[in-house]
């Protein structure tokens, strides 16, 4: 079982960049083969692929994006996107906010654990820099 999971994780990493290039290509092609990078779901939510650095300015200026929630693997985000902290929500507050607007989205316990660990790392690093008030979390 562990060997299968290891092979699947390795295969996902090997296939990530070729499929990313394919998706980028589909975004540039006109006609029926075109695939948009994101879609507006309602006035406050965009649903789509993780925004690349080249798309960040457009999303902030044109779409008024103030935050991105992603459940990507670290290797998928390391070189491709910017991140910043807009809301100072705890992981539980973020999950509640998502549930209010999209009740059909369910965050599994493992995903919540990942959010909690990420939140802990981000707030600890920001507290050292003086950019995050830990009394609000």
């Amino acid at each position: 079982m562990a060997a299968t999971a290891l092979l699947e994780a390795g295969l996902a990493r090997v296939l990530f960049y070729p499929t990313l290039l394919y998706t980028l290509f589909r975004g540039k092609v006109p006609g029926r083969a075109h695939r948009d990078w994101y879609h507006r779901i309602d006035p406050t939510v965009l649903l789509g692929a993780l925004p690349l650095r080249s798309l960040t300015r457009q999303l902030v200026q044109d779409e008024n994006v103030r935050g991105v929630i992603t459940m990507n693997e670290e290797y998928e985000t390391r070189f491709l996107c910017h991140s910043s902290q807009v809301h100072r929500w705890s992981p539980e507050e973020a999950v509640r906010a998502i549930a209010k607007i999209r009740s059909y989205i369910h965050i599994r316990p493992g995903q919540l654990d990942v959010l909690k660990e990420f939140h802990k790392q981000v707030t600890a690093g920001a507290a050292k820099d003086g950019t995050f008030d830990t009394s609000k979390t």
Side-chain angles (χ1 to χ4, degrees):
M1 184 73 152
T4 303
L6 187 60
L7 285 173
E8 288 175 1
L11 184 60
R13 288 172 188 245
V14 167
L15 294 178
F16 174 70
Y17 288 103
T19 58
L20 174 63
L21 290 174
Y22 174 74
T23 303
L24 288 169
F25 172 75
R26 295 273 310 261
K28 303 286 184 199
V29 175
R32 293 186 65 190
H34 178 77
R35 179 178 290 165
D36 289 325
W37 201 256
Y38 61 89
H39 298 277
R40 182 161 294 285
I41 302 301
D42 67 21
T44 60
V45 176
L46 297 176
L47 180 64
L50 184 67
L52 301 176
R53 290 179 185 189
S54 60
L55 189 58
T56 302
R57 180 168 283 131
Q58 175 191 347
L59 288 172
V60 170
Q61 292 175 350
D62 299 346
E63 299 290 348
N64 198 31
V65 168
R66 295 293 176 254
V68 173
I69 298 172
T70 179
M71 296 304 287
N72 291 70
E73 297 289 337
E74 183 181 349
Y75 68 87
E76 295 174 316
T77 62
R78 184 174 300 142
F79 305 113
L80 299 173
C81 64
H82 292 293
S83 63
S84 64
Q85 192 171 11
V86 175
H87 296 285
R88 295 182 179 209
W89 291 336
S90 70
E92 294 82 4
E93 289 170 323
V95 168
R96 283 193 298 274
I98 292 168
K100 280 183 185 176
I101 60 172
R102 294 289 176 257
S103 60
Y104 53 85
I105 295 177
H106 300 285
I107 306 297
R108 295 185 309 269
Q111 291 172 315
L112 184 58
D113 291 342
V114 170
L115 284 172
K116 287 178 180 179
E117 180 60 30
F118 176 76
H119 182 261
K120 185 170 75 174
Q121 291 175 7
V122 168
T123 55
K128 281 186 205 172
D129 299 339
T131 58
F132 187 79
D133 181 3
T134 56
S135 65
K136 294 180 182 178
T137 59

